[in-house]
C-alpha cells in the first residue's frame, strides 16, 4: 500500500505546491498602511486559498491587523511580514466577518486580542468547523494544522483609538449578517470587508437580503474615505467599486424578480446571460449559480400564493 | 486522465470510462439501475432528453433538476428520475397523459457527486435516457431537517403555495408543498414523506400520476406544464395517510 501511495504521490503531486509558501508581498497603500492583495480566483490548490485582501496599520502602540487569511500557514506568513515591515509587535487583530478566507489564520494571532462583532463570533462558532472542513477539501494541504480560533473581544459600532489612529468601526450586515468595516480617519483608508467586492463577483451565502446590502453600500459611500480596500479585488480611489456593486446587485435582484414573474425554475436562471458590462468581473457565472441557490427560494416564496383547498371546500374553478 | 486510468488499473479498480457503450457519463451503476428501475427493457442514451443541473451542488439538500424532452418526437407515457449514487436513488416515477408536456423541474437531495438520470418511455417502447453530472460536497440526504427546526411547521404541513403561468397554449404550474420529506436516514426520525401525487383536470381526469420518493427535497418544489387546462387540481398523499389538495 505504501508503494501505491508513493506512486500516487509521484503521479499526482505537483512540485509547484511543495513549499506551501504564500509569497506575501505587503504593498504600502497609505501612510503606515499595507495591503496584501489576494487573487480574484476561486479557492484552489494553486493559490492555497489566498483570494482575499488583508491589511495592517502601523500605529505608535503596535500594529492593527485586518483579517488573518485563509489558513494557519497564511496567518503565520502574515505575522512574519508584519514584523519584517514594521519592526513592531501586533497590538490587535480585527476580523471583518466569519468567512474562512478572512479568519482561519487566527491561530498565528492567538497571543493578541482578536476582536470582532458579536454576530461574527456567533456565526464562526456555529459554522467555523464546517467552513474549515470545506477549505481542506478545496485547497488541500495548504490548510494543514488549521483550526478555528474564536474572537476574544467583542466590537460595537463606534470609534477605536489605537496608537494615534482613530478607527471608525461600522457594524453592517449585508454580506453575512455581521460585517465590520473600518475607516482609518487618519489616512482615509476604508477597509470595507466583503461589503465591497471589486472585479470579483460577490458571494451571497448568509446575506439577509440584497436590499440590506444596498443600504450598507450607501452607508459606506457617505464616509470621508480616500481609498477603498475591498474584501476581494483591487483598491480604488474613486467610487467605481460602489457603482459596480450596485449595478451587479441590481441585476441579480431584477433577474430573480423576473424569474418569479415568468415562472422560471432555478436552472433557467443559472443559464441566464451575464451582461457584457460584467465581463471583467471574475467568477460571475460561478457565483450566479451559488446566488440563485441561496436567494431564489426567498423570491419564490414571495411570488407564490396559497392554493391549498381546505377539506370541505369546493374545488377552485 | 490516462495516468489516472493506469493507476486505477494498477489498483485493480474498474476503469472510470463509460462502462456501457454510449453512456455519456462515467458510471458504474448503470446496469444495476437499468435492471431494477427499467426492468432491463430496451433503452437508448438520448441527447434529446436534456437534464439540467448546476455544475455543483451549492446546497446538497436542494439541488435543482430540470428535465426537458420536448425535442423527443411523439408522446411519452412514463418518466423516471434518479440519482445513481444516492442512498435513495429514486426521485419520482410518473405516468403521463397526452396533455403533460415533457418539461419538468424539481429539487432533490444528493449525498455525493453523482450521475442524474431521466428516462422517458416513448411510443417506440424504448426508454430514452438523458444524463447529467452534479458535483457535490455531499451530505444532503443525511443533513438535519431545516423544516423541522422552524416553529409551527406542523400547522403548515401539506400547505401548498403555487401559481400558474400561461405559456402560449400551455399552462405552467409551479408549486411548493410544506412537508419535511423525512427519508429515515437522519437519526431518530422515521420516514415521513409525500409518496403519491396526481395532477387532475377540473373534471377529475388524471393528467399526471406520480410516485414520489424522499430523495425529493423537503418542502418539495415542482414545476410542470400541461397543454390547455387553465385550471387544475393537485392531489397529494403521504406515507402516514394524510391527503392534501390544491387548486391551481
Amino acid at each position: 500500500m505504501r508503494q501505491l501511495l508513493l506512486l500516487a504521490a509521484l503521479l499526482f503531486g505537483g512540485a509547484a505546491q511543495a513549499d506551501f509558501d504564500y509569497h506575501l508581498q505587503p504593498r504600502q497603500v497609505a501612510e503606515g498602511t499595507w495591503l496584501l492583495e489576494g487573487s480574484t480566483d476561486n479557492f484552489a490548490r494553486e493559490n492555497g486559498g489566498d483570494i482575499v485582501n488583508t491589511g495592517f496599520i502601523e500605529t505608535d502602540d503596535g500594529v492593527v491587523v485586518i483579517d488573518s487569511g485563509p489558513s494557519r500557514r497564511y496567518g503565520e506568513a502574515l505575522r512574519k511580514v508584519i514584523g519584517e515591515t514594521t519592526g513592531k509587535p501586533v497590538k490587535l487583530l480585527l476580523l471583518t466577518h466569519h468567512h474562512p478566507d478572512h479568519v482561519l489564520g487566527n491561530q498565528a494571532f492567538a497571543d493578541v486580542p482578536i476582536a470582532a462583532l458579536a454576530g461574527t463570533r456567533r456565526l464562526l462558532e456555529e459554522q467555523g468547523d464546517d467552513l474549515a472542513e470545506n477549505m481542506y477539501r478545496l485547497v488541500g494541504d495548504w490548510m494543514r494544522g488549521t483550526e478555528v480560533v474564536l474572537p476574544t473581544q467583542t466590537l460595537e459600532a463606534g470609534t477605536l483609538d489605537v496608537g494615534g489612529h482613530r478607527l471608525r468601526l461600522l457594524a453592517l450586515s449585508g454580506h453575512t449578517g455581521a460585517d465590520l468595516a473600518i475607516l482609518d480617519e487618519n489616512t482615509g483608508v476604508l477597509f470595507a470587508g466583503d461589503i465591497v467586492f471589486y472585479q470579483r463577483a460577490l458571494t451571497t451565502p448568509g446575506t439577509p437580503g440584497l436590499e440590506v446590502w444596498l443600504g450598507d453600500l450607501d452607508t459606506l459611500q457617505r464616509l470621508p474615505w480616500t481609498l477603498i480596500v475591498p474584501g476581494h479585488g483591487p483598491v480604488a480611489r474613486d467610487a467605481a467599486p460602489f457603482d459596480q456593486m450596485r449595478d451587479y446587485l441590481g441585476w441579480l435582484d431584477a433577474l430573480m424578480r423576473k424569474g418569479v414573474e415568468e415562472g422560471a425554475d432555478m436552472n433557467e436562471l443559472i443559464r441566464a446571460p451575464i451582461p457584457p458590462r460584467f465581463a471583467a468581473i471574475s467568477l460571475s457565472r460561478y457565483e450566479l449559480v451559488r446566488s440563485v441557490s441561496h436567494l431564489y427560494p426567498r423570491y419564490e416564496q414571495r411570488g407564490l400564493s396559497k392554493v391549498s383547498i381546505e377539506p370541505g371546500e369546493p374545488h377552485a374553478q | 486522465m490516462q495516468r489516472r486510468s493506469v493507476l486505477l488499473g494498477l489498483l485493480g479498480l474498474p476503469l472510470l470510462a463509460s462502462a456501457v457503450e454510449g453512456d455519456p457519463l462515467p458510471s458504474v451503476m448503470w446496469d444495476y439501475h437499468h435492471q431494477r428501475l427499467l426492468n432491463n427493457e430496451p433503452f437508448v442514451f438520448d441527447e434529446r432528453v436534456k437534464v439540467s443541473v448546476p455544475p455543483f451542488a451549492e446546497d446538497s439538500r436542494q439541488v435543482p433538476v430540470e428535465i426537458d424532452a420536448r425535442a423527443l418526437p411523439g408522446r411519452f407515457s412514463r418518466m423516471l428520475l434518479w440519482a445513481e449514487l444516492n442512498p435513495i436513488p429514486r426521485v419520482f416515477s410518473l405516468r403521463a397523459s397526452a396533455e403533460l408536456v415533457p418539461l419538468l423541474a424539481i429539487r432533490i437531495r444528493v449525498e455525493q457527486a453523482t450521475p442524474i438520470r431521466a428516462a422517458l418511455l416513448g411510443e417506440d417502447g424504448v426508454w430514452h435516457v438523458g444524463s447529467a453530472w452534479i458535483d457535490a460536497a455531499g451530505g444532503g440526504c443525511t443533513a438535519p431537517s431545516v423544516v423541522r427546526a422552524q416553529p409551527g411547521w406542523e400547522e403548515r404541513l401539506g400547505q401548498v403555495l403555487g401559481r400558474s403561468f400561461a405559456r402560449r397554449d400551455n399552462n405552467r404550474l409551479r408549486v411548493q408543498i410544506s412537508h419535511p420529506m423525512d427519508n429515515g436516514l437522519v437519526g431518530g426520525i422515521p420516514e415521513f414523506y409525500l409518496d403519491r401525487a396526481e395532477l387532475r383536470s377540473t373534471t377529475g381526469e388524471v393528467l399526471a400520476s406520480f410516485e414520489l420518493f424522499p430523495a425529493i427535497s423537503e418542502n418539495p418544489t415542482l414545476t410542470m406544464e400541461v397543454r390547455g387546462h387553465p385550471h387544475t387540481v393537485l392531489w397529494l398523499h403521504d406515507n402516514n395517510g394524510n391527503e392534501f389538495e390544491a387548486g391551481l
Side-chain angles (χ1 to χ4, degrees):
Chain A
M1 194 62 205
R2 185 175 294 174
Q3 284 89 335
L4 281 173
L5 287 174
L6 192 65
L7 177 63
L10 284 171
L11 284 172
F12 300 119
Q17 297 158 20
D19 57 354
F20 296 106
D21 185 341
Y22 284 100
H23 299 288
L24 295 184
Q25 303 276 343
R27 179 156 64 89
Q28 192 165 2
V29 292
E31 194 189 344
T33 310
W34 283 267
L35 167 73
L36 297 118
E37 186 176 339
S39 123
T40 54
D41 291 339
N42 197 1
F43 294 117
R45 281 162 204 263
E46 289 70 37
N47 57 38
D50 180 12
I51 61 156
V52 63
N53 295 339
T54 61
F56 56 91
I57 303 166
E58 182 184 348
T59 78
D60 296 341
D61 197 19
V63 179
V64 177
V65 185
I66 292 131
D67 285 342
S68 65
S71 67
R72 177 182 189 146
R73 279 189 171 113
Y74 183 103
E76 287 166 355
L78 176 59
R79 185 101 192 231
K80 187 157 163 279
V81 297
I82 290 170
E84 289 164 0
T85 308
T86 66
K88 288 186 179 168
V90 172
K91 169 80 176 167
L92 174 69
L93 168 62
L94 300 174
L95 304 177
T96 58
H97 62 293
H98 76 288
H99 281 164
D101 44 335
H102 298 261
V103 304
L104 288 180
N106 284 3
Q107 279 159 296
F109 299 90
D111 59 330
V112 299
I114 302 178
L117 297 172
T120 297
R121 186 194 154 91
R122 180 178 53 76
L123 289 164
L124 188 58
E125 201 164 11
E126 281 170 17
Q127 303 173 11
D129 287 343
D130 288 344
L131 293 171
E133 192 179 312
N134 197 40
M135 287 293 289
Y136 275 85
R137 187 176 77 87
L138 293 168
V139 308
D141 204 3
W142 287 91
M143 300 302 296
R144 185 174 296 208
T146 302
E147 283 174 28
V148 173
V149 173
L150 294 175
T152 51
Q153 286 189 2
T154 303
L155 294 173
E156 283 170 13
T159 50
L160 189 68
D161 290 301
V162 193
H165 278 252
R166 197 168 168 81
L167 305 179
R168 200 185 304 182
L169 307 180
L170 294 113
L172 308 170
S173 62
H175 176 54
T176 64
D179 299 283
L180 176 71
I182 302 134
L183 175 70
D184 184 339
E185 294 188 357
N186 295 42
T187 59
V189 176
L190 173 62
F191 287 91
D194 281 7
I195 293 295
V196 178
F197 287 69
Y198 187 41
Q199 306 295 39
R200 199 278 186 207
L202 58 91
T203 75
T204 54
T207 179
L210 302 186
E211 64 291 345
V212 178
W213 202 329
L214 286 165
D216 287 349
L217 290 170
D218 292 342
T219 303
L220 288 186
Q221 192 163 2
R222 279 196 297 268
L223 297 172
W225 51 268
T226 56
L227 181 81
I228 306 164
V229 178
H232 300 266
V235 300
R237 294 187 188 277
D238 58 23
F242 288 119
D243 296 342
Q244 189 180 71
M245 283 294 295
R246 282 205 192 83
D247 193 7
Y248 192 91
L249 285 169
W251 167 69
L252 203 54
D253 180 60
L255 179 74
M256 289 188 279
R257 281 176 196 276
K258 185 161 166 274
V260 166
E261 286 312 306
E262 294 179 353
D265 194 66
M266 280 185 181
N267 277 292
E268 292 173 74
L269 296 188
I270 287 167
R271 292 192 294 261
I274 289 170
R277 65 184 187 277
F278 299 142
I281 300 179
S282 173
L283 293 168
S284 41
R285 175 67 61 190
Y286 174 76
E287 293 301 344
L288 176 62
V289 172
R290 300 184 67 210
S291 292
V292 168
S293 171
H294 303 146
L295 303 175
Y296 196 50
R298 300 183 209 171
Y299 285 78
E300 285 176 321
Q301 285 274 328
R302 283 182 243 149
L304 303 176
S305 44
K306 199 176 162 198
V307 290
S308 297
I309 301 166
E310 303 303 333
E313 258 182 61
H315 290 178
Q317 288 296 310
Chain B
M1 196 62 212
Q2 204 166 5
R3 286 194 309 193
R4 178 174 296 186
S5 299
V6 168
L7 182 68
L8 292 170
L10 284 174
L11 291 170
L13 295 171
L15 299 184
L16 278 180
S18 54
V20 179
E21 196 168 337
D23 189 346
L25 296 180
S27 165
V28 291
M29 297 290 283
W30 171 258
D31 286 336
Y32 178 77
H33 291 305
H34 177 223
Q35 183 186 351
R36 277 170 47 100
L37 303 183
L38 303 183
N39 248 336
N40 268 333
E41 288 161 11
F43 74 94
V44 59
F45 293 111
D46 194 331
E47 286 178 355
R48 292 172 298 182
V49 180
K50 275 193 287 182
V51 181
S52 300
V53 294
F56 56 91
E58 176 62 15
D59 180 352
S60 294
R61 297 165 304 190
Q62 296 274 351
V63 176
V65 180
E66 180 194 70
I67 305 145
D68 180 357
R70 287 175 295 179
L72 212 57
R75 58 164 295 202
F76 74 105
S77 55
R78 296 190 60 201
M79 185 195 288
L80 265 67
L81 180 68
W82 70 95
E84 280 196 352
L85 299 180
N86 259 9
I88 300 167
R90 277 194 288 184
V91 178
F92 66 76
S93 167
L94 157 68
R95 289 178 188 279
S97 72
E99 279 104 310
L100 188 74
V101 179
L103 174 66
L104 199 143
I106 194 164
R107 282 172 214 160
I108 70 168
R109 297 166 160 135
V110 296
E111 188 62 11
Q112 64 180 82
T114 176
I116 309 283
R117 309 280 196 180
L120 280 79
L121 185 59
E123 282 172 338
D124 52 5
V126 174
W127 288 97
H128 296 259
V129 180
S131 309
W133 173 269
I134 180 114
D135 193 11
C141 301
T142 47
S145 166
V146 175
V147 169
R148 283 180 177 275
Q150 293 164 346
W153 70 269
E154 297 97 331
E155 281 84 64
R156 289 191 297 274
L157 184 74
Q159 178 182 293
V160 183
L161 300 179
R163 188 165 159 188
S164 59
F165 304 83
R167 292 216 159 187
R168 293 202 185 85
D169 298 334
N170 294 346
N171 189 29
R172 168 175 287 212
L173 309 167
R174 300 203 74 218
V175 289
Q176 185 172 76
I177 307 128
S178 292
H179 207 287
M181 297 299 284
D182 296 315
N183 58 14
L185 299 177
V186 180
I189 302 175
E191 286 181 321
F192 178 41
Y193 62 93
L194 294 166
D195 58 357
R196 287 163 67 196
E198 281 185 7
L199 183 69
R200 299 170 182 162
S201 73
T202 46
T203 54
E205 172 199 2
V206 176
L207 303 172
S209 169
F210 290 86
E211 191 182 356
L212 305 171
F213 300 92
I216 297 174
S217 304
E218 51 187 351
N219 288 349
T221 307
L222 186 65
T223 304
M224 50 191 159
E225 238 174 85
V226 286
R227 296 184 183 94
H229 297 285
H231 299 287
T232 51
V233 173
L234 181 69
W235 170 85
L236 300 148
H237 176 275
D238 72 23
N239 68 332
N240 279 21
N242 297 306
E243 292 184 46
F244 312 103
E245 252 185 326
L248 282 149

